[in-house]
Amino acid sequence: MSDQPEPARNPPLRASDRDREQVAALLQHAMSEGRITVAELETRLDSVYAAKTLVELEPVTRDLPGHSLSLLKPSSVAVPQDSPVMSYSPGGPATGNVVGVMSGGIRKGQWTAPAHLNAVAIMGGVELDFTHAQLTGRETVIMAVAIMGGVEITVPEGITVHVEGIGIMGGFNDGVRQNYGPDAPVLRIKGVAIMGGVDVQTSRKQLDR
């Protein structure tokens, strides 16, 4: 037997939020093409957002076209380095609801955003503007349900946005794709759009006017 010590193995690379979002987007595209079912999508997304390393992400898309996409490629979305990180104040409401059923529900101006917000638009519309909102948690989760209706979400600079919703004859549009790193608060948008839409847009244009 050799007394030589075994060479140290390199640990698997840690997955970033951008890596997980890239895999989630591929899965959502596969579902829209009929390659996987909605139930399979939900199961695989659970694995994606629980993954801590790139090795754990690879099997989730192994049977899909595009599975060999590079998870190490730099993000194409640049966030200004001098942009301020949005602040938050713990201790606010835990949950809240904004509902538009054949009508509209609006939260804009100065308002307090709960840690978990249900936004339901059924043949109506919901507008959520976070430009001057006070966040109450490190992560704010919006459960958006748009059925033959629309949910419009406006976000300012300084907050990381993750869009994880499922579109069925409808869709989720991430018009911001911004990530401000580990110190920034997170806005996580989940839910389902059935013959409706959830649109996430930036408030930068409004602030520049």
Side-chain angles (χ1 to χ4, degrees):
M1 296 179 62
S2 172
D3 294 331
Q4 295 283 341
E6 291 186 6
R9 296 181 180 179
N10 293 327
L13 292 176
R14 304 286 290 189
S16 69
D17 287 338
R18 188 196 67 81
D19 295 328
R20 285 182 278 268
E21 291 301 323
Q22 190 175 359
V23 175
L26 190 151
L27 290 173
Q28 291 169 355
H29 181 69
M31 191 275 292
S32 69
E33 293 183 327
R35 298 182 188 276
I36 59 176
T37 66
V38 173
E40 288 175 314
L41 174 64
E42 292 176 346
T43 299
R44 295 190 189 204
L45 284 177
D46 287 342
S47 299
V48 168
Y49 290 110
K52 293 186 175 7
T53 66
L54 296 181
V55 172
E56 295 173 81
L57 288 175
E58 196 276 333
V60 181
T61 59
R62 185 177 293 159
D63 58 346
L64 299 174
H67 72 278
S68 59
L69 79 173
S70 173
L71 295 175
L72 300 179
K73 185 169 59 177
S75 173
S76 60
V77 180
V79 173
Q81 296 298 314
D82 57 351
S83 297
V85 170
M86 195 171 177
S87 63
Y88 63 94
S89 298
T95 61
N97 302 293
V98 183
V99 180
V101 180
M102 300 182 68
S103 62
I106 300 176
R107 293 290 186 276
K108 63 188 306 183
Q110 294 184 344
W111 61 289
T112 301
H116 187 105
L117 181 63
N118 298 309
V120 181
I122 302 176
M123 292 190 289
V126 168
E127 179 184 351
L128 304 174
D129 189 339
F130 285 84
T131 304
H132 302 292
Q134 176 61 61
L135 302 180
T136 57
R138 170 69 176 75
E139 178 170 297
T140 302
V141 178
I142 299 177
M143 184 61 67
V145 177
I147 302 175
M148 299 179 67
V151 177
E152 183 178 289
I153 303 170
T154 303
V155 298
E157 294 180 326
I159 183 171
T160 294
V161 178
H162 299 307
V163 179
E164 305 167 6
I166 299 170
I168 302 174
M169 297 180 68
F172 279 68
N173 174 46
D174 182 358
V176 294
R177 296 179 61 82
Q178 59 190 38
N179 190 327
Y180 285 84
D183 296 327
V186 174
L187 183 64
R188 192 175 300 277
I189 301 164
K190 302 181 177 184
V192 62
I194 303 174
M195 292 189 289
V198 177
D199 183 51
V200 185
Q201 62 186 11
T202 181
S203 61
R204 278 185 215 127
K205 292 181 181 179
Q206 298 176 14
L207 295 174
D208 292 340
R209 290 177 183 173

